[in-house]
Amino acid sequence: MNKPAVSFEFFPAKTELGHEKLLSTFDELNKLAPTYFSVTYGAGGSTRDRTLSIVQALLERSDTPIAPHISCIGDDKSKIAELLELYKNLGINRLVALRGDLPSGQVGMGELPFALDLVKFIREHSGDHFHIEVAAYPEMHPQARSFQFDVDNLVNKYQAGANASITQFFYNADSYLYLRDTLKQRGIDTTAQPLVAGIMPITNSSNLVRFADSCGADIPRYVRKQLADFGDDRRAIRDFGFEVVHRLCERLISEGVPAMHFYSMNKVEPNKRLVKSLGLAAETV
Ligand code: FAD
């Protein structure tokens, strides 16, 4: 059976208590033996200190690689170069490179307006030191001029030196498979430069709908309707959400997906339940 690699994404906590909780979440998910953990970064440097602090704390905790996200919109090259040096000195050798979205009120795209510019800059600055992952959109980035333009952008990011891309979350396996096949037709060897499936467990109805609407991810009607029917019944949402995402992952595995990146939302249970039931956890867990 195809056994895809697993990774988990965290966002930096806002409080000391949240930070401590995240460390114990890390310990639990780390038992599943993921390939790496990534930590998000607020565009324009808005979470710089918090991202750095959790990255350092996780590095001290185990040998599992940590991949900080790094964004370029609104930042200048010197700030990004400083961060690259810092990460190199911490022994980090993988990054998730993004454009980011400017926090409301902040203006000015900065010296590197798109993720493609960032990938080129990282390669110019640090050569092959970092394994670089970029973002991909099976259902198109919401600001893209067209689907084809967005695919061109992804192809350009691979050609500029991205080692892999991670998709926005999706619940329609065909959108992922279509993008993968389109990349192959465009000459990208997705065995060497994989398209990693971004997986969002479903645990909460209103947050999911708001998040999906803002990032242009489609929630199928049968899912949206049933989540609405469940109202405040959190257990029913969790069980139905598990079933939907489990089926999605099974289909992706049967289609040979090389890796799955779980948008963990800093939670243990929904991620652990999926990874274990899909048979992707370490043998000992
Ligand atoms: P790009 O690849 O630069 O694309 C952005 C848009 O610009 C697309 O619509 C593209 O088609 C268009 N475009 C590209 N080049 C041009 C051009 N020359 N002219 C006109 N249009 C162009 N956000 C954060 O702030 N922090 C995070 O940590 C974070 N992590 C993420 C992790 C993953 C796996 C994913 C999928 C997304 C993440 N995001 C994060 C969200 C991401 O930053 C947003 O989706 C952002 O709007 C686009 O980032 P990008 O890297 O895809 O940008």
Side-chain angles (χ1 to χ4, degrees):
M1 187 193 83
N2 168 40
K3 195 172 173 184
V6 166
S7 55
F8 297 109
E9 180 173 307
F10 288 149
F11 56 85
K14 287 192 175 136
T15 61
E16 192 54 39
L17 188 65
H19 183 90
E20 290 306 315
K21 239 179 115 188
L22 188 49
L23 296 181
S24 65
T25 300
F26 170 82
D27 291 343
E28 281 305 303
L29 292 180
N30 202 23
K31 290 181 190 155
L32 303 172
T35 315
Y36 71 96
F37 287 84
S38 80
V39 182
T40 64
Y41 183 81
S46 55
T47 68
R48 188 186 151 105
D49 292 346
R50 283 192 281 128
T51 298
L52 258 173
S53 132
I54 190 71
V55 164
Q56 280 172 307
L58 299 183
L59 284 170
E60 281 165 19
R61 237 165 154 82
S62 92
D63 291 334
T64 306
I66 306 299
H69 294 206
I70 181 167
S71 70
C72 54
I73 198 165
D75 265 334
D76 53 32
K77 288 181 183 173
S78 62
K79 284 239 179 71
I80 292 170
E82 208 177 279
L83 209 47
L84 294 176
E85 284 302 320
L86 190 61
Y87 285 146
K88 248 201 244 180
N89 293 335
L90 286 172
I92 285 167
N93 57 14
R94 62 189 304 159
L95 295 172
V96 182
L98 306 140
R99 183 195 72 174
D101 292 309
L102 278 180
S104 60
Q106 197 171 327
V107 288
M109 305 269 278
E111 290 180 295
L112 303 167
F114 295 104
L116 174 63
D117 306 309
L118 178 61
V119 173
K120 288 180 182 165
F121 181 73
I122 298 171
R123 286 290 175 238
E124 273 163 34
H125 180 275
S126 309
D128 285 337
H129 178 81
F130 293 107
H131 175 100
I132 303 177
E133 242 123 353
V134 292
Y137 300 88
E139 295 171 331
M140 199 178 109
H141 184 264
Q143 293 155 6
R145 262 177 232 166
S146 67
F147 188 85
Q148 276 318 317
F149 185 91
D150 214 31
V151 171
D152 288 346
N153 180 45
L154 179 56
V155 168
N156 291 339
K157 291 193 280 190
Y158 276 115
Q159 288 174 345
N163 299 94
S165 66
I166 306 172
T167 72
Q168 185 56 275
F169 68 89
F170 58 90
Y171 296 108
N172 176 355
D174 284 319
S175 68
Y176 168 89
L177 298 171
Y178 184 81
L179 180 59
R180 182 193 64 184
D181 294 346
T182 305
L183 287 173
K184 281 186 192 160
Q185 284 159 14
R186 294 290 308 274
I188 302 297
D189 174 359
T190 50
T191 309
Q193 290 176 297
L195 178 68
V196 176
I199 305 293
M200 176 74 90
I202 298 175
T203 56
N204 176 308
S205 173
S206 53
N207 285 353
L208 179 73
V209 169
R210 192 160 18 88
F211 199 34
D213 288 347
S214 71
C215 66
D218 188 48
I219 302 179
R221 188 175 163 85
Y222 82 98
V223 176
R224 215 179 252 260
K225 288 286 173 198
Q226 289 200 67
L227 288 177
D229 288 348
F230 292 137
D232 292 334
D233 187 343
R234 286 164 55 186
R235 190 186 179 133
I237 293 173
R238 271 204 313 267
D239 287 346
F240 174 66
F242 169 78
E243 192 190 334
V244 168
V245 180
H246 191 270
R247 285 166 75 122
L248 169 71
C249 292
E250 277 185 325
R251 168 102 194 273
L252 294 169
I253 291 170
S254 74
E255 293 279 357
V257 69
M260 292 179 171
H261 182 73
F262 286 81
Y263 295 105
S264 80
M265 303 309 282
N266 294 1
K267 292 191 167 105
V268 174
E269 276 318 314
N271 301 288
K272 187 171 165 182
R273 187 175 175 195
L274 280 166
V275 171
K276 282 184 78 171
S277 72
L278 290 163
L280 303 179
E283 302 289 319
T284 50
V285 181

